[in-house]
Amino acid sequence: MITLRALSADDIPNLPQIRPTYRSATILQVDRVGSGFEVGWQLIEHALDKPFDKGAGYDFTPEVQDIIRERLTRPDDVHQQVAETNGKLVAFVEVELQAWNNTAALWNLMIDLSYRGQGLGRRLWYRALAFAKESDVRAIVIETQNTNVAACHFYAHMGCHLVGLHESFYDGSDETALFWLYPIRA
Protein backbone atom coordinates (compact mmCIF):
# COMPACT_ATOMS: atom_id res chain seq x y z
CA MET A 1 0.00 0.00 0.00
CA ILE A 2 1.28 3.46 -0.91
CA THR A 3 0.63 6.20 1.63
CA LEU A 4 0.90 9.95 1.15
CA ARG A 5 2.15 12.12 3.99
CA ALA A 6 3.87 15.41 4.71
CA LEU A 7 7.61 15.58 4.03
CA SER A 8 9.73 15.63 7.19
CA ALA A 9 13.32 16.78 7.66
CA ASP A 10 14.30 13.13 8.20
CA ASP A 11 12.96 12.30 4.71
CA ILE A 12 15.25 14.71 2.86
CA PRO A 13 18.42 12.55 2.94
CA ASN A 14 16.25 9.65 1.69
CA LEU A 15 14.85 11.48 -1.35
CA PRO A 16 17.55 9.89 -3.57
CA GLN A 17 15.65 6.59 -3.05
CA ILE A 18 13.23 7.98 -5.65
CA ARG A 19 14.36 7.33 -9.22
CA PRO A 20 12.50 10.08 -11.10
CA THR A 21 14.41 9.84 -14.37
CA TYR A 22 12.75 9.13 -17.71
CA ARG A 23 13.29 7.67 -21.15
CA SER A 24 11.26 8.82 -24.12
CA ALA A 25 10.86 7.28 -27.56
CA THR A 26 9.48 10.60 -28.81
CA ILE A 27 10.33 14.27 -28.46
CA LEU A 28 8.33 17.45 -28.89
CA GLN A 29 10.28 19.05 -31.69
CA VAL A 30 10.22 22.84 -31.50
CA ASP A 31 9.88 24.48 -34.92
CA ARG A 32 10.20 28.26 -35.17
CA VAL A 33 7.88 29.88 -37.71
CA GLY A 34 8.31 33.46 -38.96
CA SER A 35 10.67 36.13 -37.69
CA GLY A 36 10.78 39.41 -35.80
CA PHE A 37 7.53 40.24 -34.01
CA GLU A 38 5.69 37.76 -36.21
CA VAL A 39 7.55 34.75 -34.89
CA GLY A 40 5.80 31.70 -33.49
CA TRP A 41 6.63 28.18 -32.44
CA GLN A 42 5.08 24.87 -33.23
CA LEU A 43 5.53 21.67 -31.24
CA ILE A 44 5.36 18.42 -33.16
CA GLU A 45 5.77 15.03 -31.49
CA HIS A 46 8.34 13.00 -33.40
CA ALA A 47 9.62 9.47 -32.92
CA LEU A 48 13.33 9.25 -32.15
CA ASP A 49 15.74 6.78 -33.74
CA LYS A 50 17.25 6.24 -30.30
CA PRO A 51 15.19 6.95 -27.13
CA PHE A 52 16.11 10.06 -25.16
CA ASP A 53 17.48 8.97 -21.77
CA LYS A 54 17.54 11.62 -19.04
CA GLY A 55 19.86 9.39 -17.02
CA ALA A 56 20.67 10.84 -13.62
CA GLY A 57 19.44 14.30 -14.59
CA TYR A 58 17.07 14.52 -11.64
CA ASP A 59 19.35 13.41 -8.84
CA PHE A 60 18.59 14.85 -5.42
CA THR A 61 22.06 16.38 -5.01
CA PRO A 62 23.09 17.93 -1.68
CA GLU A 63 22.38 21.37 -3.19
CA VAL A 64 18.87 20.34 -4.22
CA GLN A 65 18.29 18.81 -0.78
CA ASP A 66 19.33 22.13 0.81
CA ILE A 67 16.73 24.00 -1.26
CA ILE A 68 14.03 21.49 -0.28
CA ARG A 69 15.12 21.73 3.37
CA GLU A 70 14.85 25.55 3.27
CA ARG A 71 11.36 25.34 1.76
CA LEU A 72 10.37 22.92 4.53
CA THR A 73 10.87 25.78 7.03
CA ARG A 74 8.02 27.72 5.36
CA PRO A 75 4.93 25.48 5.70
CA ASP A 76 2.52 28.38 5.08
CA ASP A 77 4.05 29.01 1.66
CA VAL A 78 5.14 25.52 0.60
CA HIS A 79 3.32 22.20 0.26
CA GLN A 80 5.61 19.14 0.31
CA GLN A 81 4.45 15.54 0.40
CA VAL A 82 6.05 12.18 -0.14
CA ALA A 83 4.59 8.81 -1.03
CA GLU A 84 6.02 5.77 0.65
CA THR A 85 5.54 2.05 0.71
CA ASN A 86 7.21 -0.37 3.11
CA GLY A 87 9.38 2.47 4.48
CA LYS A 88 10.71 3.44 1.02
CA LEU A 89 10.06 6.84 -0.57
CA VAL A 90 8.59 6.44 -4.07
CA ALA A 91 7.31 9.92 -4.96
CA PHE A 92 7.58 13.59 -4.04
CA VAL A 93 5.52 16.68 -4.76
CA GLU A 94 6.49 20.25 -3.91
CA VAL A 95 4.60 23.44 -4.69
CA GLU A 96 5.51 26.94 -3.49
CA LEU A 97 3.40 30.08 -3.38
CA GLN A 98 4.75 32.98 -5.45
CA ALA A 99 3.33 36.18 -3.94
CA TRP A 100 4.83 38.44 -6.61
CA ASN A 101 2.48 37.07 -9.30
CA ASN A 102 -0.13 35.28 -7.16
CA THR A 103 0.67 31.79 -8.46
CA ALA A 104 1.91 28.51 -7.07
CA ALA A 105 5.06 27.08 -8.67
CA LEU A 106 5.08 23.30 -8.95
CA TRP A 107 8.79 22.66 -8.40
CA ASN A 108 8.66 18.88 -8.15
CA LEU A 109 6.24 16.12 -9.06
CA MET A 110 8.45 13.06 -9.20
CA ILE A 111 7.43 9.42 -9.30
CA ASP A 112 9.89 6.53 -9.05
CA LEU A 113 10.21 4.56 -12.30
CA SER A 114 8.77 1.41 -10.71
CA TYR A 115 5.64 3.15 -9.43
CA ARG A 116 4.41 4.96 -12.53
CA GLY A 117 1.09 4.21 -14.16
CA GLN A 118 -0.68 3.55 -10.84
CA GLY A 119 -2.40 6.92 -10.40
CA LEU A 120 0.18 8.23 -7.95
CA GLY A 121 0.92 11.30 -10.08
CA ARG A 122 -2.77 12.22 -10.11
CA ARG A 123 -3.05 11.76 -6.36
CA LEU A 124 -0.10 14.07 -5.73
CA TRP A 125 -1.30 16.56 -8.37
CA TYR A 126 -4.70 16.86 -6.66
CA ARG A 127 -3.00 17.44 -3.29
CA ALA A 128 -0.91 20.25 -4.82
CA LEU A 129 -4.01 21.67 -6.51
CA ALA A 130 -5.95 21.64 -3.21
CA PHE A 131 -3.11 23.57 -1.53
CA ALA A 132 -3.08 26.14 -4.36
CA LYS A 133 -6.87 26.57 -4.22
CA GLU A 134 -6.85 26.92 -0.41
CA SER A 135 -4.13 29.57 -0.82
CA ASP A 136 -6.37 31.47 -3.26
CA VAL A 137 -3.76 31.82 -5.99
CA ARG A 138 -4.83 32.44 -9.56
CA ALA A 139 -2.89 29.55 -11.14
CA ILE A 140 -0.31 26.81 -10.83
CA VAL A 141 2.76 27.21 -13.06
CA ILE A 142 4.94 24.32 -14.17
CA GLU A 143 8.15 23.97 -16.16
CA THR A 144 9.14 20.79 -17.96
CA GLN A 145 11.21 19.84 -21.00
CA ASN A 146 10.30 19.03 -24.58
CA THR A 147 12.06 15.70 -24.05
CA ASN A 148 9.76 14.71 -21.17
CA VAL A 149 6.80 13.89 -23.39
CA ALA A 150 5.08 11.74 -20.75
CA ALA A 151 5.06 14.69 -18.33
CA CYS A 152 3.71 16.99 -21.06
CA HIS A 153 0.87 14.57 -21.78
CA PHE A 154 0.19 14.28 -18.04
CA TYR A 155 -0.05 18.04 -17.49
CA ALA A 156 -2.24 18.48 -20.58
CA HIS A 157 -4.51 15.68 -19.31
CA MET A 158 -4.75 17.39 -15.92
CA GLY A 159 -6.06 20.54 -17.64
CA CYS A 160 -2.87 22.58 -17.91
CA HIS A 161 -2.27 24.82 -20.91
CA LEU A 162 1.06 25.38 -22.61
CA VAL A 163 1.79 29.11 -22.20
CA GLY A 164 5.38 29.50 -23.33
CA LEU A 165 8.78 28.08 -24.06
CA HIS A 166 12.43 29.00 -23.71
CA GLU A 167 14.86 27.56 -26.24
CA SER A 168 18.02 28.35 -24.25
CA PHE A 169 16.79 27.91 -20.67
CA TYR A 170 19.20 25.06 -19.87
CA ASP A 171 22.96 25.51 -19.96
CA GLY A 172 24.70 23.03 -22.25
CA SER A 173 21.55 21.24 -23.36
CA ASP A 174 19.53 20.94 -26.54
CA GLU A 175 16.36 20.65 -24.48
CA THR A 176 13.70 23.35 -24.60
CA ALA A 177 11.87 24.45 -21.46
CA LEU A 178 8.09 24.30 -21.75
CA PHE A 179 5.94 26.36 -19.40
CA TRP A 180 2.46 25.24 -18.40
CA LEU A 181 -0.33 26.95 -16.48
CA TYR A 182 -3.30 25.49 -14.66
CA PRO A 183 -5.83 28.32 -14.20
CA ILE A 184 -7.59 28.34 -10.85
CA ARG A 185 -9.39 31.66 -11.10
CA ALA A 186 -9.47 34.61 -13.50
Side-chain angles (χ1 to χ4, degrees):
M1 186 167 108
I2 298 173
T3 58
L4 303 182
R5 63 172 175 76
L7 177 78
S8 73
D10 291 339
D11 292 322
I12 295 172
N14 296 320
L15 287 172
Q17 293 175 355
I18 303 169
R19 297 169 305 139
T21 190
Y22 63 90
R23 286 177 54 105
S24 182
T26 62
I27 190 171
L28 296 175
Q29 180 178 313
V30 180
D31 291 335
R32 186 186 301 230
V33 181
S35 62
F37 289 120
E38 296 190 21
V39 68
W41 289 264
Q42 182 173 319
L43 297 177
I44 301 170
E45 188 170 354
H46 284 285
L48 296 169
D49 294 333
K50 178 183 171 192
F52 179 87
D53 189 343
K54 189 64 171 183
Y58 283 125
D59 284 348
F60 289 99
T61 64
E63 296 80 14
V64 170
Q65 290 181 42
D66 286 345
I67 292 167
I68 292 168
R69 188 173 290 106
E70 187 281 323
R71 288 183 185 141
L72 187 62
T73 67
R74 297 182 286 113
D76 292 340
D77 297 330
V78 181
H79 173 81
Q80 297 168 307
Q81 282 199 310
V82 290
E84 73 176 339
T85 184
N86 299 320
K88 179 181 187 271
L89 299 182
V90 297
F92 175 55
V93 66
E94 180 178 45
V95 62
E96 179 182 25
L97 302 180
Q98 307 287 299
W100 72 274
N101 65 357
N102 196 26
T103 63
L106 183 69
W107 292 120
N108 291 297
L109 178 55
M110 300 179 168
I111 314 296
D112 186 275
L113 286 170
S114 299
Y115 293 88
R116 294 185 185 155
Q118 301 177 36
L120 191 50
R122 282 190 303 280
R123 288 174 64 193
L124 291 169
W125 167 260
Y126 288 124
R127 298 280 178 105
L129 180 58
F131 172 77
K133 286 180 176 180
E134 290 168 11
S135 301
D136 197 33
V137 296
R138 65 184 177 87
I140 296 176
V141 293
I142 305 130
E143 175 271 323
T144 191
Q145 306 80 30
N146 66 319
T147 57
N148 196 345
V149 178
C152 293
H153 283 294
F154 173 80
Y155 292 125
H157 184 74
M158 292 294 102
C160 299
H161 307 283
L162 189 62
V163 294
L165 60 87
H166 193 316
E167 294 175 295
S168 57
F169 193 69
Y170 308 109
D171 187 25
S173 172
D174 291 334
E175 295 175 282
T176 297
L178 302 178
F179 298 95
W180 299 83
L181 182 130
Y182 181 90
I184 295 174
R185 61 179 175 80

